[in-house]
């Protein structure tokens, strides 16, 4: 368990696999901002609920890079993660399948 008060400006944010996502620009009562850069086209907002651990100057998030919604698409494509998994929804028959956006199940 971590204490949100231990998260400070300048710490390194990492995904669950240890990938360096960038430095923390600012911290407030709800969370913090990761600097824009290699992975994010603009500063990326993170809530404290997305943090799993702090180790020294490293803040670890619960998701991997491909699961973070703000990651630049060209970065995902270069890593072979061309698309995020489609959400699963029930169709009119009750079957579970990937949502294509073509139906309202």
């Amino acid at each position: 368990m971590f204490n949100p008060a231990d998260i400070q400006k300048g710490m390194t944010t990492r995904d669950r696999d240890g990938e360096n996502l960038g430095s923390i620009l600012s911290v407030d009562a709800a969370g913090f901002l990761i600097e824009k850069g290699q992975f994010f086209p603009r500063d990326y907002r993170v809530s404290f609920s997305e943090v799993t651990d702090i180790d020294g100057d490293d803040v670890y998030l619960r998701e991997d890079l491909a699961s973070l919604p703000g990651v630049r698409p060209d970065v995902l494509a270069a890593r072979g993660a061309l698309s995020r998994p489609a959400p699963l929804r029930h169709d009119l028959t009750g079957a579970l399948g990937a949502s294509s956006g073509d139906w309202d199940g």
Side-chain angles (χ1 to χ4, degrees), residues 8-87:
Q8 304 293 319
K9 178 180 176 180
M11 294 177 83
T12 300
T13 307
R14 298 185 180 276
D15 74 351
R16 73 171 181 211
D17 300 324
E19 182 82 46
N20 182 343
L21 302 176
S23 295
I24 295 176
L25 289 176
S26 64
V27 182
D28 61 30
F32 54 92
L33 284 177
I34 301 173
E35 67 183 346
K36 69 178 181 177
Q38 178 181 357
F39 299 118
F40 303 108
R42 64 181 70 84
D43 297 342
Y44 183 72
R45 183 86 167 130
V46 178
S47 70
F48 292 127
S49 65
E50 297 176 55
V51 175
T52 58
D53 198 14
I54 299 173
D55 184 16
D57 285 336
D58 295 327
V59 177
Y60 287 87
L61 303 183
R62 74 177 67 257
E63 300 293 336
D64 64 344
L65 181 67
S67 299
L68 297 172
V71 176
R72 293 179 17 209
D74 60 318
V75 171
L76 295 177
R79 291 171 172 249
L82 295 175
S83 63
R84 292 187 171 93

